[in-house]
Amino acid sequence: MRYRTLGGTGIEVSTHCLGAMMFGAVGNPDHEDCIRIIHAALDQGINFVDTADMYSAGESEVIVGKALKDRRDDVVLATKVHFPFTEGRNRSGNSRRWITRAVEDSLRRLGTDWIDLYQIHRPDHTTDIEETLWVLSDLVSAGKIRAFGCSAFPAEDIVEAYHVSDRRGYGRFRTNQPPYSMIARGIERSVLPTCRRLGMGVLTYSPLAFGFLSGKIRRNQPLDLSARAALAPDRFDPALPANAAKYDAVEQLIEVADGIGTTLPELAMAFVTTHPAVTSVIAGPRTMDQLEGLLEAADLTLDDKTLDRIDEIVPPGTDLFRADAAWQPQSLTDPTQRRRPLGDR
């Protein structure tokens, strides 16, 4: 296992991070089995574990807390805040009110006194970024978190947050957590270069493109909707042109993997860690077999010839399916932000 420094924090993390999204009701509801998977990952040299308060409505944090009970000092623990998972107003978002409450709940579920990396799960344009950075800085001063970062933030929001931190004397986002894979490469255009310029660590998720690069999803084969595919079946519908392009890419990428004597998921994991801006890639297994398969890529190095061939199949900066980018700005999703009022046209 290789290790890299996380975004100027001085904290060393493994290049493979164990993602806990699939631990709990959404994926694997067997707590003891999940704990065995976490311990196996730690025994293989992984020292970085990432979860979120909303994964299985807090259950993932509970499982992670149980697993780390006697190994907390050896693990860099990351979790996230933003999404609602209980009913009621003011129980989501990036406000001081919610973050102050949510961090205490996460600490309790995780059974720890501190969180190494606390991440804002998504942008929230109803909350001034100054408000968010202010409360996160206070949490660092209080010793509840060691550092903070963001997840799926576009480059413009990262830059705005950086300048607010600089102007107001707040702590700054040390990391960003975007989706990144061989078929979802949009962040190569501006997000990754921005993070690199600002000295931010990058921990990417979905290296298997929501399972598309697992080797089990291929054209004209039955699709298993019992696991992650069930969460967003539209990502796999071959009738959609963007998905058709993904199916075509998968067949070509399998040939690339075969040509260097590896598997498609191993190729996918190794590809992500090749980018100089990427600190760690998050692997989110549901079973022990999946963990063992993903760890096979930990020591795989791709040569320039292989990377050039991947670039030919999916050009740099390309998202074959726009939804794989995970977050769309309101300027695209809200028509009123693109159209003048009727009387002013």
Side-chain angles (χ1 to χ4, degrees):
M1 185 63 64
R2 293 166 290 173
Y3 300 87
R4 295 169 180 167
T5 302
L6 185 64
T9 63
I11 301 171
E12 288 192 358
V13 297
S14 49
T15 55
H16 286 61
C17 173
L18 180 66
M21 180 179 173
M22 300 307 289
F23 298 155
V26 170
N28 185 346
D30 186 332
H31 287 208
E32 293 304 316
D33 189 41
C34 293
I35 290 170
R36 283 191 291 271
I37 294 170
I38 295 171
H39 287 171
L42 300 183
D43 292 341
Q44 289 293 316
I46 287 179
N47 76 334
F48 198 10
V49 178
D50 176 79
T51 183
D53 59 0
M54 57 84 67
Y55 292 166
S56 294
E59 188 181 4
S60 173
E61 287 187 329
V62 171
I63 293 170
V64 169
K66 291 178 181 179
L68 301 185
K69 183 177 180 182
D70 298 320
R71 306 180 72 164
R72 179 67 185 90
D73 288 341
D74 299 322
V75 174
V76 178
L77 177 59
T79 191
K80 297 181 281 292
V81 61
H82 170 82
F83 287 109
F85 58 89
T86 58
E87 295 182 0
R89 295 183 183 277
N90 298 311
R91 295 185 180 180
S92 64
N94 302 342
S95 69
R96 168 176 283 271
R97 186 182 194 277
W98 176 241
I99 290 174
T100 302
R101 161 73 181 276
V103 72
E104 296 293 346
D105 290 343
S106 285
L107 288 167
R108 174 178 48 78
R109 285 189 293 264
L110 290 165
T112 185
D113 294 326
W114 82 97
I115 293 164
D116 294 292
L117 178 64
Y118 198 47
Q119 301 158 98
I120 302 300
H121 212 152
R122 291 292 187 274
D124 172 13
H125 292 148
T126 69
T127 303
D128 193 319
I129 188 63
E130 181 172 325
E131 177 87 359
T132 303
L133 294 168
W134 180 20
V135 65
L136 291 172
S137 298
D138 284 350
L139 292 176
V140 172
S141 297
K144 296 183 185 296
I145 66 176
R146 299 294 186 255
F148 54 87
C150 56
S151 176
F153 272 45
E156 60 269 25
D157 283 9
I158 293 171
V159 171
E160 180 188 5
Y162 178 85
H163 286 298
V164 169
S165 294
D166 184 57
R167 186 172 65 249
R168 299 291 292 170
Y170 296 141
R172 60 186 179 89
F173 286 137
R174 289 293 187 175
T175 62
N176 187 31
Q177 184 181 141
Y180 185 39
S181 72
M182 291 189 294
I183 62 175
R185 303 181 60 176
I187 63 170
E188 293 174 340
R189 290 181 175 273
S190 57
V191 171
L192 290 181
T194 297
C195 290
R196 196 177 183 195
R197 281 199 303 273
L198 298 180
M200 296 174 66
V202 177
L203 46 154
T204 64
Y205 70 90
S206 200
L208 301 188
F210 224 75
F212 228 99
L213 299 178
S214 66
K216 299 178 181 179
I217 297 175
R218 303 183 66 174
R219 190 185 300 279
N220 301 323
Q221 290 189 6
L223 179 61
D224 179 11
L225 289 177
S226 63
R228 294 201 66 174
L231 300 178
D234 59 305
R235 292 174 186 251
F236 304 91
D237 183 356
L240 298 177
N243 284 336
K246 287 163 63 174
Y247 279 103
D248 289 341
V250 164
E251 296 305 315
Q252 296 178 71
L253 291 169
I254 288 175
E255 293 180 2
V256 173
D258 289 343
I260 62 172
T262 191
T263 66
L264 181 59
E266 290 171 14
L267 178 71
M269 294 290 290
F271 168 81
V272 172
T273 59
T274 298
H275 197 289
V278 174
T279 309
S280 187
V281 55
I282 299 173
R286 180 171 52 88
T287 66
M288 187 70 77
D289 286 344
Q290 289 176 352
L291 172 68
E292 292 171 353
L294 293 171
L295 288 177
E296 290 294 329
D299 296 319
L300 177 63
T301 300
L302 304 182
D303 60 23
D304 288 341
K305 181 180 178 181
T306 301
L307 294 169
D308 288 343
R309 178 59 184 135
I310 294 171
D311 286 350
E312 292 173 359
I313 297 169
V314 182
T318 301
D319 286 322
L320 292 184
F321 186 44
R322 191 68 183 88
D324 287 340
W327 186 82
Q328 297 284 347
Q330 288 182 319
S331 58
L332 299 181
T333 60
D334 182 0
T336 65
Q337 295 199 24
R338 303 192 305 275
R339 303 169 187 171
R340 291 179 179 273
L342 190 58
D344 191 34
R345 294 178 187 174

